Amino acid sequence: MEIFVEHRASAYEATIIKANDDSVPTYPYIKTGNGDLKMWSVSAQHGRSFIVDKTHDGRYIISKGNGLSYTTHTFVNTGEMGSDTWGLLLKKDAIRDFTLGNEIASLGIKTNEMEYVIELDTLINLPNGETVRPILLQYSVECPYRISDAPFIDKSLIDIEVAKWHNLTDCKHEKKYQVAAEVLLKNLRTLHDHKILHNAIHEQNFTWALELLDFELASSPTNPYDSEDYQRHVIDLFSREIIQTYQVILYIAG
């Protein structure tokens, strides 16, 4: 049985920055204490990502950048990162996430389906004196639970997702986690063969449907980093992602 934490939200006027299919509804929501709309979070691990709806075929529509799920505050700026604020999503990060996500999906890797990057027509005042317009990334997933959510959700929900894994491979594995290992390592090989660095491989960025998420730190030949120094070090990080994927597999096995 699904048990999600309910959050109140308010809707705002918004401008679409990026879209894959403009017939899909948008959800320009911000978490508010007394809003007339609802969003839901799976666990405290999700932070700034919320479930806003479900599609007719049962996929979960997720919105990212709508506020913090684990505090009474909507946004928190701790000062050390300038305008980069807990609960907010910066415009450049949302666009990179959307763009790289589309590129990675085109390779046949199991991932989310990008829908929109949206800019809200309201201003947020930050403690450092700057003012920003909230940016939302909207996408859909087969499964809302991240691997890292395991301690926070009922094991039966994980069992339902794991039971579907036999559809992901023709190989007969003795252990379920070996299926996950095959899928994750195959996808990583595809990324690296195309010289794409995800740069955030850990258990919070995979769902229990083995969907790879969160590409705001990713780099590819067609979408490299702006900084020449960052781009120069990309090649050094590919081997690290093999170890990081192994750590995710260990977490799943556990």
Side-chain angles (χ1 to χ4, degrees):
M1 179 180 178
E2 295 176 340
I3 301 176
F4 299 130
V5 179
E6 182 181 302
H7 301 268
R8 308 303 295 188
S10 297
Y12 294 84
E13 294 295 319
T15 301
I16 295 173
I17 305 298
K18 296 281 186 180
N20 276 341
D21 180 359
D22 57 13
S23 67
V24 175
T26 59
Y27 299 83
Y29 297 174
I30 290 292
K31 191 190 89 167
T32 52
N34 56 358
D36 57 351
L37 299 170
K38 296 178 181 179
M39 304 187 299
W40 298 267
S41 60
V42 173
S43 79
Q45 292 286 331
H46 282 243
R48 58 180 172 174
S49 295
F50 298 84
I51 300 167
V52 292
D53 207 348
K54 288 183 76 172
T55 65
H56 68 279
D57 58 352
R59 292 179 63 85
Y60 293 82
I61 300 176
I62 308 295
S63 188
K64 179 179 178 181
N66 314 68
L68 273 180
S69 65
Y70 48 77
T71 76
T72 56
H73 298 284
T74 303
F75 304 108
V76 175
N77 186 291
T78 51
E80 80 275 15
M81 298 184 293
S83 297
D84 203 352
T85 298
W86 294 94
L88 278 175
L89 181 62
L90 296 181
K91 187 174 184 177
K92 63 181 179 62
D93 292 339
I95 291 174
R96 176 168 288 274
D97 202 334
F98 183 90
T99 304
L100 268 295
N102 284 329
E103 182 177 353
I104 287 168
S106 73
L107 300 176
I109 291 173
K110 191 172 178 64
T111 182
N112 52 351
E113 293 182 4
M114 294 295 182
E115 294 179 352
Y116 294 105
V117 175
I118 306 168
E119 184 175 50
L120 302 191
D121 298 334
T122 188
L123 294 175
I124 300 295
N125 297 315
L126 303 179
N128 63 4
E130 294 190 28
T131 303
V132 297
R133 296 185 186 275
I135 301 293
L136 306 180
L137 176 70
Q138 182 178 312
Y139 60 85
S140 71
V141 289
E142 179 182 327
C143 173
Y145 316 112
R146 309 286 181 96
I147 300 298
S148 60
D149 288 326
F152 301 93
I153 60 178
D154 193 286
K155 185 178 180 295
S156 64
L157 298 174
I158 296 175
D159 291 339
I160 291 171
E161 298 302 324
V162 171
K164 303 173 186 176
W165 287 358
H166 70 275
N167 297 318
L168 302 178
T169 176
D170 294 328
C171 298
K172 303 299 181 184
H173 294 288
E174 181 181 352
K175 303 290 185 180
K176 293 291 187 182
Y177 72 83
Q178 292 173 325
V179 178
E182 179 187 337
V183 173
L184 267 56
L185 289 170
K186 179 181 178 181
N187 287 344
L188 185 67
R189 168 56 68 86
T190 300
L191 287 178
H192 288 180
D193 283 349
H194 288 83
K195 296 180 172 56
I196 297 174
L197 179 76
H198 183 275
N199 206 14
I201 296 288
H202 51 72
E203 57 270 14
Q204 195 166 349
N205 287 340
F206 289 94
T207 73
W208 278 100
L210 304 183
E211 299 159 295
L212 177 61
L213 308 177
D214 291 345
F215 309 106
E216 64 193 72
L217 298 178
S219 173
S220 75
T222 54
N223 293 281
Y225 294 129
D226 295 333
S227 166
E228 289 186 12
D229 189 51
Y230 285 178
Q231 191 60 34
R232 182 166 57 87
H233 290 292
V234 164
I235 194 66
D236 301 326
L237 300 178
F238 284 112
S239 296
R240 177 191 297 180
E241 292 198 318
I242 299 172
I243 299 299
Q244 291 169 333
T245 301
Y246 181 64
Q247 290 173 327
V248 176
I249 294 166
L250 287 176
Y251 196 97
I252 292 171

